[in-house]
């Protein structure tokens, strides 16, 4: 261990480890890196999902993939064929262990586990980061922690989900089809649905998901989750092998970079998550690629690239419609996934839409409420 580094990464989660993987692969050309992580060890704590487009990375870590996804409402179901771009998921422990193996092979990277970050300040062009009884320094810091925000800086909606992985005594699930959204009853002003990833006929991740103006705790989603589990497995006996709960802000105000370009903030709440979907894993991989290239060129690392103007405006409009017309959510999502060319909506969700894709999406959405929200946005 040493105290002087070329780069300090604060937070060894998805963003921090994704960059560390790429730097470790540089071998002797890897800069001296310190990763400071508060957890003492890595365990499976979340599941990341994405569409396996041509640009998708780390797909070899996927636990499962599905060539069909389902969107359901009280009035029927839509089965979407996504054979060309399967829907896939990665268990976090597979990602963590893969990253740790690669990092351990490069002696130029030090991982500090169980360390809470204290004061961070700059002195003589070096950032000083205090950790317990010592400090480390480097000319650049990449901070992956959630940024401190003003009290009035709240997202348009919160995506809250609680889930359990269940193992059943008999075959229950169709492991060829993932349930992306199966809408269920929710309190007034909220959008609730079942999200189900069947890893085998007897094992699945079952999640209760809510879009609402306030974040939900595990306790607030417990009754909904219990009801959805019972609905999904019926009378078949099962055991719970894993639990997860997570909250994602949707539609935060634009993240402002640090005044000093040598201090970069990245991650879920710093531009890492897509506003209208919450998808984050592949976006972080793209950022990590760009950061690694910048480091190899000897330039400073930059934060997440902004989405295009069109996508930013579409996301904001979409979220405003869901916020003010939650009862229309089943209709809206059913229309999206009922499009003849399902690649259109998949490319849009994967940050890869063409102008034609965007125009097609606009044409299938209910015009009345979208025009109303568009006009309101002009005068907001």
């Amino acid at each position: 261990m040493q105290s002087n580094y070329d780069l300090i990464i604060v937070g060894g989660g998805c963003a921090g480890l994704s960059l560390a993987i790429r730097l470790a692969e540089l071998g002797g050309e890897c800069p001296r890196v310190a990763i400071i992580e508060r957890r003492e060890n890595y365990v499976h704590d979340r599941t990341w999902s994405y569409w396996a487009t041509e640009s998708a990375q780390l797909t070899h870590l996927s636990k499962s993939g599905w060539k069909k996804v389902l969107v359901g409402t009280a009035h029927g179901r839509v089965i979407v064929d996504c054979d060309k771009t399967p829907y896939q998921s990665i268990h976090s422990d597979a990602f963590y262990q893969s990253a740790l193996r690669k990092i351990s092979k490069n002696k130029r990277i030090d991982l500090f586990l169980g360390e809470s970050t204290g004061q961070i300040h700059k002195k003589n062009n070096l950032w000083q980061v205090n950790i317990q009884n010592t400090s480390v320094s480097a000319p650049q810091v990449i901070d992956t922690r959630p940024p401190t925000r003003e009290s009035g800086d709240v997202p348009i909606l919160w995506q809250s989900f609680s889930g359990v992985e269940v193992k059943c005594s008999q075959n229950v699930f169709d492991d060829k089809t993932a349930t992306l959204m199966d809408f269920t009853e929710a309190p007034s002003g909220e959008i609730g649905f079942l999200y189900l990833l069947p890893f085998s006929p007897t094992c699945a991740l079952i999640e209760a998901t809510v879009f609402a103006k306030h974040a939900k705790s595990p306790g607030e989603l417990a009754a909904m989750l219990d009801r959805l589990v019972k609905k999904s497995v019926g009378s078949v006996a099962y055991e719970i092998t894993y639990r997860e709960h997570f909250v994602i802000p949707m539609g935060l105000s634009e993240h402002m970079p640090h005044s000093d370009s040598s201090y970069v903030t990245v991650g879920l709440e710093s531009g890492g998550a897509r506003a209208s979907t919450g998808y984050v894993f592949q976006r972080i991989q793209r950022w990590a690629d760009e950061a690694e290239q910048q480091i190899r060129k000897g330039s400073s690392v930059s934060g997440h690239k902004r989405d295009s103007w069109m996508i930013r405006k579409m996301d904001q409009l979409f979220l405003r419609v869901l916020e003010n017309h939650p009862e229309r959510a089943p209709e809206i999502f059913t229309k999206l996934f009922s499009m003849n060319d399902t690649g259109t909506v998949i490319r849009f969700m994967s940050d890869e839409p063409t102008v034609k894709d965007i125009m097609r999406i606009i044409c299938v959405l209910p015009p009345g409420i979208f025009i109303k929200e568009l006009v309101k946005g002009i005068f907001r």
Side-chain angles (χ1 to χ4, degrees), residues 99-165:
L100 293 176
R101 284 194 297 270
K102 291 190 176 183
I103 292 170
S104 67
K105 294 178 181 179
N106 195 313
K107 302 304 180 183
R108 296 180 66 81
I109 301 178
D110 289 335
L111 174 60
F112 296 85
L113 290 175
E115 296 282 2
S116 297
T117 304
Q119 183 182 13
I120 301 177
H121 65 280
K122 197 171 188 180
K123 181 179 180 181
N124 298 328
N125 294 320
L126 292 176
W127 289 101
Q128 311 288 328
V129 181
N130 294 329
I131 53 173
Q132 290 193 11
N133 299 322
T134 186
S135 67
V136 293
S137 62
Q140 182 164 36
V141 169
I142 297 177
D143 194 340
T144 70
R145 300 172 301 175
T148 301
R149 296 184 178 276
E150 300 294 331
S151 58
D153 185 10
V154 296
I156 298 174
L157 291 172
W158 289 94
Q159 179 180 166
S160 306
F161 52 89
S162 281
V164 292
E165 188 171 306

Side-chain angles (χ1 to χ4, degrees), residues 322-380:
L322 294 180
E323 175 194 26
N324 295 318
H325 306 276
E327 75 285 352
R328 302 289 295 274
E331 172 194 358
I332 291 170
F333 283 102
T334 299
K335 284 182 177 293
L336 281 175
F337 283 95
S338 296
M339 297 176 67
N340 291 331
D341 179 9
T342 55
T344 293
V345 68
I346 291 173
R347 286 189 294 271
F348 181 74
M349 289 189 165
S350 303
D351 309 329
E352 302 172 353
T354 64
V355 174
K356 185 180 291 187
D357 289 334
I358 292 174
M359 297 310 297
R360 285 174 176 169
I361 288 173
I362 291 173
C363 289
V364 303
L365 294 174
I369 55 176
F370 275 85
I371 292 173
K372 178 181 178 181
E373 289 303 323
L374 181 61
V375 172
K376 287 171 61 177
I378 293 174
F379 298 100
R380 184 176 285 116

